[in-house]
Amino acid sequence: MTQDVHRITVLPYSAVVGQAELRHALEIGHIAGLGVLATGQRGTAKSTTIRAFAMMLHQDLPVTLPLGATDDRVLGGWDVGALLGDQKDADPWREGLLEQADRLGLLYVDEVNLLEDHIVNIILDTAATGILTVQRDHAQQAPKSVDFALVGSMNPDEGPLRPQLLDRFGLVVAVRDDNDRETRKKILQAVLAFDVHRHDPESTFMRDMRRQDDTLRERLRQARSRYPDVSNDDQLIEACAAVAEEFHLVGHRGEQVMLQAARAQAALNGDDRAGVAHLRPAAKAAIMHRRPGTEAGTLRDWAEAEDDRLERVLTSVSGD
């Protein structure tokens, strides 16, 4: 790790307290190539966790799409200065955020519910197909392969996300503040420790956090390389279909994502074959935004009773 990276003062991923569901979704999403949406009120550490994840995984901050981004900022466009200037060797085409995301491995779409729909559509389509095609401003660039994790965040109090776009995120996590006193104390202690050591990358605290981040990054790298070879048993397919039926999922993307998430969990565990047990940790994030009632683009709360329903279905299929 270079000294320049050391100077980027972001809370280490291993120092993040709580946020178990979001961290799990980010890790599974990275392995399986699934987009992740974190939705929750302000101050719930959505952005902090996502930036820490990017720094742990890619040793750089994520490319972040700002509000008000234009097509040329996202897709790329002509560099007017290069076209009109005397620099004959300068490339007049300026790459967009999607190409930068491919190079750095992650695109973070903050406040995704406030972006223009057509911009979000471009991003989601490119992330899903892995192909960037640019035909604009009298320019046709050759199609390029792009590969990046797509992570979005939003505050539902600021408005809903169009249902068609909500469905395109593979995994969705409703982030809430941890109201347990002990957890709040641990969060405060972690923040205080980081504030003390953030400018000393060789401190015991920072070196320990980096070691833990390095270990997790290698584990995720190995899991991602194993993922394409992970098979699934018939029972897992039956479970995905049964969950989709029980929760009356809209469309058929939910069961596909459940299957991908279960295979990613198996890869993370070091298993060659995915079964119902691998589906349990990821099913909720794959289906919560695909239940009926999200037609207005607003997530329904997930009640404890739905955890029980989910477990009953999985148990009935697995016989456990």
Side-chain angles (χ1 to χ4, degrees), residues 193-224:
F194 177 60
D195 283 344
V196 170
H197 299 286
R198 62 190 303 169
H199 299 302
D200 182 9
E202 298 307 320
S203 69
T204 301
F205 173 81
M206 294 300 289
R207 282 190 283 117
D208 183 51
M209 292 299 102
R210 283 205 305 275
R211 279 196 297 268
Q212 293 183 48
D213 279 1
D214 290 345
T215 299
L216 177 57
R217 180 171 60 252
E218 178 59 20
R219 185 184 175 203
L220 292 176
R221 186 197 66 78
Q222 293 181 11
R224 184 163 177 159

Side-chain angles (χ1 to χ4, degrees), residues 233-246:
D233 57 31
D234 293 339
Q235 203 173 65
L236 174 58
I237 295 177
E238 179 71 24
C240 292
V243 170
E245 178 186 45
E246 171 67 22

Side-chain angles (χ1 to χ4, degrees), residues 31 222-231 263 267:
I31 294 167
Q222 293 181 11
R224 184 163 177 159
S225 67
R226 281 194 299 266
Y227 173 76
D229 298 321
V230 173
S231 61
R263 291 177 57 221

Side-chain angles (χ1 to χ4, degrees), residues 165-201:
L165 301 180
L166 183 61
D167 181 60
R168 293 294 296 275
F169 281 96
L171 304 171
V172 171
V173 176
V175 180
R176 292 180 172 82
D177 53 356
D178 291 294
N179 203 36
D180 174 72
R181 181 188 300 183
E182 192 61 30
T183 301
R184 284 182 178 270
K185 187 172 98 173
K186 290 178 180 177
I187 292 172
L188 185 55
Q189 289 171 333
V191 171
L192 290 173
F194 177 60
D195 283 344
V196 170
H197 299 286
R198 62 190 303 169
H199 299 302
D200 182 9

Side-chain angles (χ1 to χ4, degrees), residues 234-278:
D234 293 339
Q235 203 173 65
L236 174 58
I237 295 177
E238 179 71 24
C240 292
V243 170
E245 178 186 45
E246 171 67 22
F247 286 87
H248 304 283
L249 299 190
V250 178
H252 299 284
R253 190 172 280 126
E255 46 266 54
Q256 297 174 37
V257 173
M258 280 190 281
L259 183 64
Q260 291 173 278
R263 291 177 57 221
Q265 184 67 56
L268 186 61
N269 293 356
D271 299 326
D272 297 326
R273 191 175 182 83
V276 175
H278 299 105

Side-chain angles (χ1 to χ4, degrees), residues 8-274:
I8 300 177
T9 53
V10 174
L11 183 73
Y13 189 65
S14 296
V16 173
V17 176
Q19 303 300 347
E21 290 188 16
L22 176 55
R23 287 187 286 118
H24 181 257
L26 290 170
E27 293 164 19
I28 292 298
H30 170 71
I31 294 167
L34 296 169
V36 177
L37 174 64
T39 174
Q41 294 184 331
R42 64 187 184 279
T44 49
K46 301 185 298 296
S47 297
T48 296
T49 304
I50 291 166
R51 292 189 177 105
F53 176 76
M55 182 61 72
M56 176 276 298
L57 193 62
H58 303 293
Q59 299 193 321
D60 209 336
L61 292 174
V63 175
T64 301
L65 182 72
L67 287 178
T70 56
D71 288 17
D72 65 321
R73 185 73 183 92
V74 175
L75 293 169
W78 295 116
D79 186 333
V80 177
L83 286 172
L84 299 179
D86 296 329
Q87 298 175 336
K88 296 181 180 180
D89 296 331
D91 186 353
W93 187 261
R94 182 179 58 187
E95 69 176 12
L97 290 172
L98 296 182
E99 288 184 76
Q100 294 176 25
D102 172 63
R103 195 166 60 251
L104 296 178
L106 193 149
L107 177 65
Y108 177 34
V109 186
D110 194 12
E111 299 183 290
V112 63
N113 52 327
L114 302 183
L115 291 174
E116 294 184 23
D117 287 344
H118 82 282
I119 293 290
V120 181
N121 273 326
I122 291 171
I123 295 168
L124 291 171
D125 286 342
T126 303
T129 62
I131 301 294
L132 174 61
T133 303
V134 181
Q135 295 179 339
R136 59 183 309 275
D137 293 341
H138 305 289
Q140 180 171 338
Q141 299 290 307
K144 298 177 182 177
S145 296
V146 291
D147 181 19
F148 56 84
L150 176 65
V151 180
S153 65
M154 58 177 277
N155 181 347
D157 291 342
E158 296 174 345
L161 181 64
R162 192 154 57 93
Q164 295 90 334
L165 301 180
L166 183 61
D167 181 60
R168 293 294 296 275
F169 281 96
L171 304 171
V172 171
V173 176
V175 180
R176 292 180 172 82
D177 53 356
D178 291 294
N179 203 36
D180 174 72
R181 181 188 300 183
E182 192 61 30
T183 301
R184 284 182 178 270
K185 187 172 98 173
K186 290 178 180 177
I187 292 172
L188 185 55
Q189 289 171 333
V191 171
L192 290 173
F194 177 60
D195 283 344
V196 170
H197 299 286
R198 62 190 303 169
H199 299 302
D200 182 9
E202 298 307 320
S203 69
T204 301
F205 173 81
M206 294 300 289
R207 282 190 283 117
D208 183 51
M209 292 299 102
R210 283 205 305 275
R211 279 196 297 268
Q212 293 183 48
D213 279 1
D214 290 345
T215 299
L216 177 57
R217 180 171 60 252
E218 178 59 20
R219 185 184 175 203
L220 292 176
R221 186 197 66 78
Q222 293 181 11
R224 184 163 177 159
S225 67
R226 281 194 299 266
Y227 173 76
D229 298 321
V230 173
S231 61
N232 50 266
D233 57 31
D234 293 339
Q235 203 173 65
L236 174 58
I237 295 177
E238 179 71 24
C240 292
V243 170
E245 178 186 45
E246 171 67 22
F247 286 87
H248 304 283
L249 299 190
V250 178
H252 299 284
R253 190 172 280 126
E255 46 266 54
Q256 297 174 37
V257 173
M258 280 190 281
L259 183 64
Q260 291 173 278
R263 291 177 57 221
Q265 184 67 56
L268 186 61
N269 293 356
D271 299 326
D272 297 326
R273 191 175 182 83

